Amino acid sequence: MPVSKYRQPRRSLAQSRVIRPAGREEGSSRETLRTAILEIVDNQIRNHDPPEVLATYDRLIGQGHSDEEARRLIGCAIASEVVGIVNESREYDHHRYLAALEALPRLS
């Protein structure tokens, strides 16, 4: 797929941010991870990349979810994909990520 001169090539979720919480207590590590995932959500919404994230956000808001809850739910879809990459050594699957977004607010 050619890349527009106005857009950067798509990076996998795992490439979006590297988190190294070594040396910190578990609560701090969880907060660091949570903050990083919400940063990814915000970047994907702001950059419309992938565009399905903004569509999912709008759909969740339209269903009555708060901004915070809509972002948290999208973050759950991201976290699920990242956990599979890290713990199961599987590759990022864009279609699986989009299916998880489409299923929201139901978490699988």
Side-chain angles (χ1 to χ4, degrees):
M1 174 167 139
V3 176
S4 166
K5 64 180 181 179
Y6 300 107
R7 295 183 71 179
Q8 296 179 351
R10 176 172 290 153
R11 298 184 307 168
S12 74
L13 293 176
Q15 293 172 322
S16 295
R17 179 152 178 132
V18 176
I19 303 166
R20 294 196 173 111
R24 296 182 183 166
E25 59 186 67
E26 185 176 331
S28 177
S29 296
R30 284 186 175 196
E31 187 57 33
T32 300
L33 183 57
R34 179 184 176 282
T35 300
I37 288 173
L38 289 176
E39 183 177 320
I40 293 168
V41 171
D42 291 342
N43 287 337
Q44 289 185 352
I45 290 170
R46 181 177 47 255
N47 297 329
H48 304 244
D49 186 25
E52 293 85 355
V53 174
L54 178 59
T56 300
Y57 175 82
D58 289 341
R59 177 174 53 82
L60 292 169
I61 294 295
Q63 291 173 347
H65 295 276
S66 68
D67 168 74
E68 183 178 341
E69 180 66 5
R71 291 171 52 242
R72 186 192 69 78
L73 287 166
I74 293 168
C76 288
I78 291 172
S80 175
E81 193 61 27
V82 170
V83 165
I85 292 167
V86 173
N87 291 349
E88 299 169 16
S89 299
R90 67 181 188 212
E91 292 190 23
Y92 169 71
D93 183 333
H94 189 65
H95 296 292
R96 183 176 46 233
Y97 177 52
L98 297 182
L101 291 174
E102 189 174 313
L104 294 175
R106 184 179 51 79
L107 300 174
S108 50

